[in-house]
């Protein structure tokens, strides 16, 4: 962690179809990506969608900055409903 290993995810860019095991809820999309092609894709139909990463070993009290990127098409949601949300546990 830190300068030794600044990235805790084993494959944060979803490089290749083998980077995702989404249990048929999430699928790998090789046509869309943030800095390179490759992303996780789900059909948002009102059901909670969970996507878990690899295990990250941490020390009690350790603090982290998280970031994510989302893209959507034809999203319909009530104002103030927060239809896309990242929960970290």
């Amino acid at each position: 962690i830190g300068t030794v290993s600044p990235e805790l995810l084993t494959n944060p860019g979803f490089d290749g179809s083998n980077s995702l095991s989404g249990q048929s809820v999430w699928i790998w999309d090789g046509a869309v990506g943030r800095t390179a092609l490759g992303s996780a894709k789900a059909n948002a139909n009102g059901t909670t969608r969970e996507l878990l990463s690899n295990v990250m070993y941490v020390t009690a009290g350790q603090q982290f900055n998280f970031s994510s990127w989302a893209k959507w098409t034809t999203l319909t949601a009530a104002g103030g409903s927060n239809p896309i949300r990242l929960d970290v546990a």
Side-chain angles (χ1 to χ4, degrees):
I1 300 177
T3 57
V4 175
S5 179
E7 178 58 68
L8 298 176
L9 298 175
T10 56
N11 191 345
F14 298 103
D15 300 327
S17 60
N18 62 344
S19 66
L20 180 66
S21 176
Q23 307 299 317
S24 299
V25 175
W26 293 87
I27 59 169
W28 183 75
D29 186 343
V32 174
R34 182 168 179 231
T35 57
L37 294 179
S39 60
K41 180 178 182 178
N43 179 19
N45 61 6
T47 304
T48 298
R49 306 290 186 187
E50 294 181 345
L51 182 61
L52 305 176
S53 72
N54 54 280
V55 174
M56 293 178 235
Y57 297 99
V58 298
T59 304
Q62 203 168 6
Q63 296 183 1
F64 296 91
N65 293 319
F66 289 91
S67 64
S68 63
W69 179 74
K71 178 181 177 180
W72 60 88
T73 58
T74 63
L75 174 68
T76 303
S81 65
N82 298 321
I84 299 175
R85 186 175 78 195
L86 171 66
D87 290 328
V88 178

